[in-house]
Amino acid sequence: MTRTMERIRTIATADDPRWARVLSRDRTADGAFWYSVSTTGIYCRPSCPSRTAHAGNVDLHDTLASARATGFRPCKRCNPEGMSQDAETLALVARACRIIERSEEPPSLSDLAEAVGLSTGYFHRLFKAATGLTPKDYVAAHQARSVRETLAQGQSVTEAIYAAGFNSSGRFYEKATAMLGMTPSRYRAGGVDEDLRFAVGQSSLGAILVASSAKGVAAILIGDDPEALVRDLQDRFPKARLTGGDADYELLVARVVGFVETPGLGLDLPLDVRGTAFQQRVWRALLDIPPGKTVSYAEIARAIGAPKAVRAVAGACAANTLAVAIPCHRVVRNDGALSGYAWGVERKRGLLDREATPARLSA
């Protein structure tokens, strides 16, 4: 190859946006394209950990067939012909999840690691990175889901205990209320005996509905129409008894409205947080974001020890029913742009503008 041709090839490769993904070893690009290196006679996937080749020696390929057509051999380090490292990891984690779900009793960490052929420590790290949960947390989440499904089918509490793999009724009842948000018998009845007090206030961002159980505030909803908010509350708690709050309860709503208008006041309320184990981990991380600050979904994923669970973090933010109390409005995209918000992007912008104003924060 002449120097002129090599220079042209270098410029063409360097200008191709795919080359930047090769330089960053972007695992999300695996399967989207491949590249070959003329000096080594191999072809690779974008995330290959090998030393970066000179752009003038590289050709980018849209298909695996195109990479093979070079006559080069597949790289032994990144295995472009097979599954990517991420795909292999997810397959192992998925196998462990199925083992958990099919076992009559919760398997131990060492049993799970042995079943997928990994050391205990390495398996624990991989599992948490892929799911956002430790194997123990996943077992607990699976048991909770099993209990809810069994009780919802009208089966007895005893049947739910053993279907979920609890070794004793004592261990089940220790966790039952936290798991279900109420006693098992009440949950089995569809929450019929649960009482929720609520009241609606008005803020510059619209109507605000606050609802509380005996444990704490269970919902803070924001919208344009108070009646629509009440219907939303009924949909979220279809079998609970809804009771309008008295004057004392309306003072609590006034505190929430005051916080929306002046974030510097703070909002310290007992909360009745209901969600999966993963959602609750995300929501706890959101509580650590101070007013006036924003973080990305990726930063939250890293903060909870699950850097690959960015989409799951976004899903947990979307599932939050405690507007402002759990500040999902402080989570933005990597480039700082505002993403979706359950109560409207304009309200999200309004909340962030208030929190970013020094005068409001020091009020």
Side-chain angles (χ1 to χ4, degrees), residues 118-139:
L118 298 175
S119 69
T120 301
Y122 186 51
F123 168 71
H124 189 277
R125 290 193 298 274
L126 284 183
F127 192 98
K128 185 175 181 181
T131 67
L133 299 172
T134 65
K136 182 178 180 181
D137 287 339
Y138 190 90
V139 167

Side-chain angles (χ1 to χ4, degrees), residues 94-113:
R95 190 193 311 170
C97 290
R98 301 296 85 77
I99 292 172
I100 291 171
E101 293 162 5
R102 294 167 184 164
S103 298
E104 293 185 3
E105 294 186 3
S108 67
L109 176 62
S110 58
D111 287 342
L112 287 171

Side-chain angles (χ1 to χ4, degrees), residues 1-7:
M1 182 187 297
T2 67
R3 289 190 176 182
T4 300
M5 291 179 62
E6 183 178 351
R7 189 177 301 112

Side-chain angles (χ1 to χ4, degrees), residues 8-292:
I8 293 172
R9 187 177 183 182
T10 299
I11 294 172
T13 300
D15 287 346
D16 192 312
R18 293 176 294 178
W19 181 238
R21 302 181 77 178
V22 173
L23 293 177
S24 65
R25 295 181 170 84
D26 183 358
R27 291 183 176 181
T28 63
D30 288 347
F33 67 93
W34 291 257
Y35 71 93
S36 60
V37 184
S38 59
T39 52
T40 58
I42 63 172
Y43 56 90
C44 305
R45 64 175 73 248
S47 67
C48 183
S50 300
R51 187 173 65 180
T52 304
H54 187 275
N57 300 322
V58 170
D59 281 314
L60 299 166
H61 306 277
D62 290 327
T63 66
L64 182 57
S66 173
R68 288 173 180 154
T70 61
F72 298 160
R73 63 177 176 81
C75 174
K76 293 182 178 180
R77 294 195 66 181
C78 68
N79 186 25
E81 296 277 348
M83 295 175 66
S84 68
Q85 183 178 350
D86 280 355
E88 291 178 352
T89 295
L90 290 175
L92 289 176
V93 170
R95 190 193 311 170
C97 290
R98 301 296 85 77
I99 292 172
I100 291 171
E101 293 162 5
R102 294 167 184 164
S103 298
E104 293 185 3
E105 294 186 3
S108 67
L109 176 62
S110 58
D111 287 342
L112 287 171
E114 183 179 353
V116 298
L118 298 175
S119 69
T120 301
Y122 186 51
F123 168 71
H124 189 277
R125 290 193 298 274
L126 284 183
F127 192 98
K128 185 175 181 181
T131 67
L133 299 172
T134 65
K136 182 178 180 181
D137 287 339
Y138 190 90
V139 167
H142 171 65
Q143 286 183 313
R145 182 170 63 251
S146 175
V147 168
R148 287 193 296 268
E149 291 175 352
T150 304
L151 293 176
Q153 293 168 3
Q155 298 184 49
S156 69
V157 175
T158 300
E159 289 172 318
I161 291 173
Y162 292 106
F166 283 95
N167 294 322
S168 69
S169 58
R171 289 183 60 81
F172 168 74
Y173 282 106
E174 285 174 6
K175 302 178 179 180
T177 301
M179 184 189 301
L180 301 171
M182 62 189 76
T183 64
S185 56
R186 180 179 295 180
Y187 187 92
R188 182 172 178 269
V192 170
D193 295 328
E194 183 175 30
D195 292 302
L196 291 180
R197 289 190 299 164
F198 75 95
V200 180
Q202 194 68 34
S203 76
S204 58
L205 295 181
I208 297 180
L209 181 148
V210 181
S212 300
S213 67
K215 184 178 178 181
V217 176
I220 299 176
L221 312 177
I222 306 176
D224 296 318
D225 182 0
E227 292 186 4
L229 292 181
V230 175
R231 289 195 297 271
D232 187 10
L233 181 67
Q234 290 173 327
D235 290 340
R236 294 174 188 272
F237 303 91
K239 296 185 179 181
R241 287 191 295 261
L242 304 182
T243 305
D246 54 19
D248 288 339
Y249 192 77
E250 290 177 355
L251 290 176
L252 184 147
V253 179
R255 287 176 59 191
V256 176
V257 172
F259 175 74
V260 169
E261 303 296 350
T262 311
L265 294 174
L267 186 64
D268 185 16
L269 296 173
L271 302 178
D272 182 356
V273 181
R274 306 181 184 195
T276 66
F278 180 80
Q279 288 172 339
Q280 294 198 39
R281 287 180 61 205
V282 172
W283 297 338
R284 284 195 295 270
L286 300 185
L287 292 171
D288 292 333
I289 310 171

Side-chain angles (χ1 to χ4, degrees), residues 325-340:
I326 294 178
C328 56
H329 62 277
R330 296 175 190 157
V331 187
V332 298
R333 293 176 179 164
N334 286 337
D335 60 2
L338 301 188
S339 53

